[in-house]
Amino acid sequence: MRFLLLFIPLFLFSLNLSEILTHPKSYVRDFYLTEFMRESNSSVLAYKAYNAMYKQKPFKHLRILSQKDRLFKDIYRCVNVKPEYLKEVDISCILNNGLSLRTISKLKKDDLKYLYENLPEGKVKDAVKAFLRNDFTKIFQDRDLGYYFILNCPSQKIDQNISDFSIFEDKYFHLFVKYAVLNNLSKIQYSLMQTDYKKYNDKIKWWLFLNALKNGNEKLAKKILYSIKKKNSKILFWMWILGNKSAKKMLLQNPRVNVYTLYAYEEANKKFFIKNKIIYDSIKKPKYDQTNPWDVLKFWDEFKKRNDLFSFAKELDSNKSVALKALVLDKAFKFKYNFFITPDIYNDNNVSLKAFVYAIARQESRFVPASVSRSYALGTMQMMPFLIRSMKGDIFKQFDYNENIKLGVKHIKWLFSRLHDPLMVAYAYNGGIGFVNRRVKSYFKYKGKYEPFLSMELVPYDESREYGKKVIANYVIYNHVFGNKGITLHKVLRVKK
């Protein structure tokens, strides 16, 4: 592992804009352009880097530019309007979402009056009027205004009975229902239970099912659940939990391990099949270097085009490209098998901690060390740049297993010292400890009817909700892979078998 850095181009340590621009547009290139913007003393070159972005992030990138040249300060203020300079920015900034509805909700009366007097007619002015008068009774009589509130400021102030949802029944209605359910808008939730669920699609029905269940109407919840057409493992799990034994049998026929099938396997004392050895080292020099982000980009391009996936997997049969081969095999076998590879990235006498590190790494990057996300999370453990810097790490060494894992493990240990719970740590690794303390721990229950499964389905952030399920299943599986078979999903979720 100590030789991995030899393969990383030298320019990564002294960023050269011309050289970065020779690479294809991608989130990888955007990461380096962002770092160039941070390092450059030239506002002209920094702006050139910004213009060359594959996907610009105005809030992030304009903030960097505003620190280098006063010219960009007003532009940044326009995309990030604060109460203290509200009256100094052009009113068009407000109309273009420079001022969030949550911020509007916290403005003083004088600022609300200023906005109301200067904004043109439309949903933003109507929202300001509602806050100014503290009257939200009419917001759901207008489609755009209703969506504006439910998606951006779903507070108790807007909770009310709604007799007719027809103006919201479009392709975004599942979001309306979801936000009402996740934000405890009890009056809207009650109104949703009066609707005709049969006319809606599966996405809407899922949230209507959760709504009925969390409000204690099990009879209605069952009707909605059974009306869902696509019976995936999540739907079958809930059918089983609500009393359908045949649904459990169908779950047990699914060879793909996830939190739902794993729970059923444990209940039935059925063993799950895991494959972790996939490398026979028949290739001495792999086609792609998985520690080089530009090589990984080329791999993804070829992966999308190749039809002969088993042949492609053979071309990657090297310990130096094990993560890439696992991705190809997974697709080649049409995701019917469970590949839980164990690259030599971390060892610890504490098998439980080791298993958790592998569980996170698998979910974050599938063990591809040169991974770069849309938000510029880096490496195997997908560490955010701000977190790397706070831990005195080197941004440009994160594609080395050793450096990235070291920081990731340090962060995991810190989270465990405060949360003491694998599931909560998983949520926090994804959404942040503040998110867990504010939005998850306050309502999450391990005891009670349908718990903790109902609480798991109601985690308010989509990505963290699914992330937690996947990591906790990975955690149990890797404990078994490393010989710690005493860790089960039942124990982790505190459910008696």
Side-chain angles (χ1 to χ4, degrees), residues 256 303 306-314 316 324-337 339 366:
R256 189 74 171 182
F303 190 18
R306 289 285 290 260
N307 293 317
D308 54 336
L309 293 178
F310 288 106
S311 296
F312 190 26
K314 288 180 181 178
L316 299 166
L324 305 182
K325 183 178 180 182
L327 288 167
V328 175
L329 284 177
D330 210 11
K331 186 177 179 181
F333 283 107
K334 298 181 180 178
F335 308 103
K336 292 180 180 178
Y337 295 97
F339 293 97
R366 292 295 295 266

Short mmCIF file of all heavy atoms in Angstrom, two decimals, residues 256 303 306-314 316 324-337 339 366:
data_model
loop_
_atom_site.label_atom_id
_atom_site.label_comp_id
_atom_site.label_asym_id
_atom_site.label_seq_id
_atom_site.Cartn_x
_atom_site.Cartn_y
_atom_site.Cartn_z
N ARG A 256 -30.92 -11.84 -2.52
CA ARG A 256 -30.20 -10.58 -2.32
C ARG A 256 -30.38 -10.11 -0.87
O ARG A 256 -31.50 -9.89 -0.42
CB ARG A 256 -30.73 -9.52 -3.28
CG ARG A 256 -29.91 -8.25 -3.32
CD ARG A 256 -28.62 -8.43 -4.06
NE ARG A 256 -27.93 -7.14 -4.26
CZ ARG A 256 -26.79 -7.00 -4.91
NH1 ARG A 256 -26.20 -8.06 -5.43
NH2 ARG A 256 -26.23 -5.83 -5.05
N PHE A 303 -17.39 0.69 -18.55
CA PHE A 303 -18.39 -0.13 -17.86
C PHE A 303 -19.78 0.10 -18.44
O PHE A 303 -20.57 -0.83 -18.62
CB PHE A 303 -18.35 0.20 -16.37
CG PHE A 303 -19.14 -0.73 -15.49
CD1 PHE A 303 -19.54 -1.99 -15.92
CD2 PHE A 303 -19.49 -0.35 -14.20
CE1 PHE A 303 -20.26 -2.85 -15.10
CE2 PHE A 303 -20.21 -1.19 -13.37
CZ PHE A 303 -20.60 -2.44 -13.82
N ARG A 306 -19.75 -1.69 -22.10
CA ARG A 306 -19.45 -3.11 -22.29
C ARG A 306 -20.69 -3.98 -22.11
O ARG A 306 -21.47 -3.81 -21.18
CB ARG A 306 -18.38 -3.57 -21.30
CG ARG A 306 -17.00 -3.03 -21.57
CD ARG A 306 -16.32 -3.72 -22.75
NE ARG A 306 -15.94 -5.07 -22.50
CZ ARG A 306 -14.71 -5.48 -22.18
NH1 ARG A 306 -13.73 -4.59 -22.06
NH2 ARG A 306 -14.44 -6.76 -22.00
N ASN A 307 -20.85 -4.93 -22.99
CA ASN A 307 -21.92 -5.92 -22.87
C ASN A 307 -21.38 -7.25 -22.35
O ASN A 307 -22.08 -7.99 -21.67
CB ASN A 307 -22.61 -6.14 -24.22
CG ASN A 307 -23.36 -4.90 -24.67
OD1 ASN A 307 -24.04 -4.25 -23.87
ND2 ASN A 307 -23.26 -4.56 -25.95
N ASP A 308 -20.12 -7.55 -22.69
CA ASP A 308 -19.49 -8.80 -22.26
C ASP A 308 -18.86 -8.61 -20.88
O ASP A 308 -17.64 -8.56 -20.72
CB ASP A 308 -18.44 -9.24 -23.28
CG ASP A 308 -17.41 -8.16 -23.57
OD1 ASP A 308 -17.72 -6.96 -23.38
OD2 ASP A 308 -16.27 -8.50 -23.97
N LEU A 309 -19.72 -8.52 -19.87
CA LEU A 309 -19.26 -8.15 -18.53
C LEU A 309 -18.37 -9.20 -17.88
O LEU A 309 -17.46 -8.85 -17.11
CB LEU A 309 -20.47 -7.86 -17.64
CG LEU A 309 -21.27 -6.61 -18.03
CD1 LEU A 309 -22.48 -6.44 -17.12
CD2 LEU A 309 -20.39 -5.37 -17.96
N PHE A 310 -18.59 -10.47 -18.15
CA PHE A 310 -17.73 -11.50 -17.56
C PHE A 310 -16.31 -11.40 -18.12
O PHE A 310 -15.33 -11.60 -17.39
CB PHE A 310 -18.32 -12.89 -17.78
CG PHE A 310 -19.54 -13.15 -16.95
CD1 PHE A 310 -20.80 -13.16 -17.51
CD2 PHE A 310 -19.43 -13.37 -15.58
CE1 PHE A 310 -21.94 -13.39 -16.74
CE2 PHE A 310 -20.56 -13.60 -14.79
CZ PHE A 310 -21.81 -13.61 -15.37
N SER A 311 -16.20 -11.10 -19.40
CA SER A 311 -14.87 -10.90 -20.01
C SER A 311 -14.21 -9.66 -19.41
O SER A 311 -13.00 -9.65 -19.12
CB SER A 311 -14.99 -10.73 -21.52
OG SER A 311 -15.49 -11.89 -22.11
N PHE A 312 -15.01 -8.63 -19.21
CA PHE A 312 -14.50 -7.39 -18.62
C PHE A 312 -13.99 -7.66 -17.20
O PHE A 312 -12.93 -7.17 -16.79
CB PHE A 312 -15.59 -6.33 -18.59
CG PHE A 312 -15.14 -4.95 -18.23
CD1 PHE A 312 -13.82 -4.53 -18.45
CD2 PHE A 312 -16.03 -4.04 -17.68
CE1 PHE A 312 -13.41 -3.24 -18.11
CE2 PHE A 312 -15.63 -2.75 -17.35
CZ PHE A 312 -14.32 -2.35 -17.55
N ALA A 313 -14.72 -8.48 -16.45
CA ALA A 313 -14.30 -8.82 -15.08
C ALA A 313 -12.96 -9.53 -15.08
O ALA A 313 -12.11 -9.29 -14.21
CB ALA A 313 -15.37 -9.68 -14.41
N LYS A 314 -12.74 -10.43 -16.07
CA LYS A 314 -11.45 -11.14 -16.15
C LYS A 314 -10.29 -10.18 -16.39
O LYS A 314 -9.17 -10.40 -15.92
CB LYS A 314 -11.50 -12.18 -17.27
CG LYS A 314 -12.38 -13.38 -16.95
CD LYS A 314 -12.38 -14.38 -18.11
CE LYS A 314 -13.28 -15.57 -17.77
NZ LYS A 314 -13.34 -16.54 -18.91
N LEU A 316 -9.96 -7.47 -15.09
CA LEU A 316 -9.73 -6.74 -13.84
C LEU A 316 -9.34 -7.67 -12.71
O LEU A 316 -9.41 -7.30 -11.53
CB LEU A 316 -11.01 -5.97 -13.46
CG LEU A 316 -11.49 -4.93 -14.47
CD1 LEU A 316 -12.92 -4.50 -14.14
CD2 LEU A 316 -10.56 -3.72 -14.48
N LEU A 324 -13.08 -2.66 -8.58
CA LEU A 324 -13.68 -2.49 -9.90
C LEU A 324 -14.25 -3.81 -10.40
O LEU A 324 -15.34 -3.85 -10.98
CB LEU A 324 -12.63 -1.95 -10.89
CG LEU A 324 -11.91 -0.65 -10.48
CD1 LEU A 324 -10.96 -0.21 -11.58
CD2 LEU A 324 -12.92 0.46 -10.18
N LYS A 325 -13.54 -4.90 -10.15
CA LYS A 325 -14.03 -6.21 -10.58
C LYS A 325 -15.33 -6.56 -9.87
O LYS A 325 -16.26 -7.11 -10.47
CB LYS A 325 -12.98 -7.29 -10.32
CG LYS A 325 -13.44 -8.66 -10.82
CD LYS A 325 -12.41 -9.76 -10.61
CE LYS A 325 -12.95 -11.10 -11.14
NZ LYS A 325 -12.00 -12.21 -10.93
N ALA A 326 -15.41 -6.23 -8.59
CA ALA A 326 -16.63 -6.52 -7.81
C ALA A 326 -17.84 -5.80 -8.39
O ALA A 326 -18.94 -6.35 -8.47
CB ALA A 326 -16.43 -6.13 -6.35
N LEU A 327 -17.65 -4.56 -8.81
CA LEU A 327 -18.73 -3.79 -9.42
C LEU A 327 -19.22 -4.45 -10.71
O LEU A 327 -20.42 -4.56 -10.96
CB LEU A 327 -18.26 -2.36 -9.72
CG LEU A 327 -18.07 -1.44 -8.51
CD1 LEU A 327 -17.30 -0.19 -8.93
CD2 LEU A 327 -19.42 -1.06 -7.92
N VAL A 328 -18.26 -4.91 -11.52
CA VAL A 328 -18.61 -5.54 -12.79
C VAL A 328 -19.33 -6.87 -12.57
O VAL A 328 -20.35 -7.16 -13.21
CB VAL A 328 -17.35 -5.74 -13.66
CG1 VAL A 328 -17.69 -6.51 -14.93
CG2 VAL A 328 -16.72 -4.39 -14.02
N LEU A 329 -18.82 -7.68 -11.64
CA LEU A 329 -19.45 -8.97 -11.37
C LEU A 329 -20.87 -8.80 -10.83
O LEU A 329 -21.77 -9.57 -11.17
CB LEU A 329 -18.61 -9.76 -10.38
CG LEU A 329 -17.33 -10.41 -10.91
CD1 LEU A 329 -16.58 -11.09 -9.79
CD2 LEU A 329 -17.64 -11.41 -12.03
N ASP A 330 -21.06 -7.81 -10.00
CA ASP A 330 -22.39 -7.58 -9.44
C ASP A 330 -23.41 -7.37 -10.54
O ASP A 330 -24.50 -7.95 -10.53
CB ASP A 330 -22.35 -6.34 -8.52
CG ASP A 330 -23.35 -6.44 -7.39
OD1 ASP A 330 -23.93 -7.52 -7.19
OD2 ASP A 330 -23.55 -5.43 -6.68
N LYS A 331 -23.05 -6.56 -11.52
CA LYS A 331 -23.95 -6.30 -12.64
C LYS A 331 -24.04 -7.52 -13.57
O LYS A 331 -25.12 -7.84 -14.09
CB LYS A 331 -23.49 -5.07 -13.43
CG LYS A 331 -24.47 -4.65 -14.52
CD LYS A 331 -24.02 -3.39 -15.23
CE LYS A 331 -25.00 -3.00 -16.33
NZ LYS A 331 -24.55 -1.77 -17.05
N ALA A 332 -22.92 -8.19 -13.77
CA ALA A 332 -22.90 -9.36 -14.65
C ALA A 332 -23.85 -10.45 -14.16
O ALA A 332 -24.52 -11.12 -14.95
CB ALA A 332 -21.47 -9.92 -14.75
N PHE A 333 -23.93 -10.62 -12.84
CA PHE A 333 -24.83 -11.61 -12.25
C PHE A 333 -26.21 -11.03 -11.96
O PHE A 333 -27.02 -11.63 -11.25
CB PHE A 333 -24.22 -12.16 -10.95
CG PHE A 333 -23.13 -13.17 -11.17
CD1 PHE A 333 -21.80 -12.84 -10.93
CD2 PHE A 333 -23.43 -14.45 -11.62
CE1 PHE A 333 -20.79 -13.76 -11.12
CE2 PHE A 333 -22.41 -15.39 -11.82
CZ PHE A 333 -21.09 -15.04 -11.58
N LYS A 334 -26.48 -9.86 -12.54
CA LYS A 334 -27.78 -9.19 -12.43
C LYS A 334 -28.20 -8.98 -10.98
O LYS A 334 -29.37 -9.09 -10.63
CB LYS A 334 -28.85 -9.98 -13.20
CG LYS A 334 -28.54 -10.07 -14.69
CD LYS A 334 -29.60 -10.84 -15.44
CE LYS A 334 -29.26 -10.90 -16.94
NZ LYS A 334 -30.25 -11.68 -17.70
N PHE A 335 -27.22 -8.67 -10.15
CA PHE A 335 -27.44 -8.30 -8.74
C PHE A 335 -28.15 -9.40 -7.94
O PHE A 335 -28.84 -9.11 -6.98
CB PHE A 335 -28.21 -6.98 -8.66
CG PHE A 335 -27.60 -5.88 -9.47
CD1 PHE A 335 -28.14 -5.51 -10.70
CD2 PHE A 335 -26.47 -5.21 -9.03
CE1 PHE A 335 -27.56 -4.51 -11.47
CE2 PHE A 335 -25.88 -4.21 -9.79
CZ PHE A 335 -26.43 -3.85 -11.02
N LYS A 336 -27.95 -10.65 -8.35
CA LYS A 336 -28.58 -11.77 -7.65
C LYS A 336 -27.68 -12.35 -6.57
O LYS A 336 -28.14 -13.15 -5.74
CB LYS A 336 -28.96 -12.87 -8.65
CG LYS A 336 -30.08 -12.46 -9.60
CD LYS A 336 -30.43 -13.58 -10.56
CE LYS A 336 -31.56 -13.17 -11.50
NZ LYS A 336 -31.88 -14.23 -12.49
N TYR A 337 -26.40 -12.00 -6.58
CA TYR A 337 -25.47 -12.52 -5.59
C TYR A 337 -24.99 -11.40 -4.68
O TYR A 337 -25.12 -10.22 -5.00
CB TYR A 337 -24.28 -13.20 -6.27
CG TYR A 337 -24.68 -14.42 -7.06
CD1 TYR A 337 -24.91 -14.34 -8.43
CD2 TYR A 337 -24.87 -15.65 -6.42
CE1 TYR A 337 -25.31 -15.46 -9.16
CE2 TYR A 337 -25.26 -16.77 -7.14
CZ TYR A 337 -25.48 -16.67 -8.50
OH TYR A 337 -25.88 -17.77 -9.21
N PHE A 339 -21.86 -9.80 -3.14
CA PHE A 339 -20.41 -9.65 -3.13
C PHE A 339 -20.00 -8.70 -2.02
O PHE A 339 -20.26 -7.50 -2.08
CB PHE A 339 -19.93 -9.12 -4.48
CG PHE A 339 -20.12 -10.09 -5.61
CD1 PHE A 339 -21.22 -10.01 -6.45
CD2 PHE A 339 -19.21 -11.12 -5.83
CE1 PHE A 339 -21.42 -10.91 -7.47
CE2 PHE A 339 -19.39 -12.04 -6.86
CZ PHE A 339 -20.50 -11.93 -7.69
N ARG A 366 -17.96 1.47 -2.39
CA ARG A 366 -17.75 0.09 -2.84
C ARG A 366 -16.25 -0.22 -2.89
O ARG A 366 -15.78 -1.00 -3.72
CB ARG A 366 -18.41 -0.16 -4.20
CG ARG A 366 -19.93 -0.15 -4.18
CD ARG A 366 -20.54 -1.27 -3.36
NE ARG A 366 -20.27 -2.59 -3.90
CZ ARG A 366 -21.09 -3.23 -4.72
NH1 ARG A 366 -22.24 -2.66 -5.07
NH2 ARG A 366 -20.79 -4.43 -5.16
#
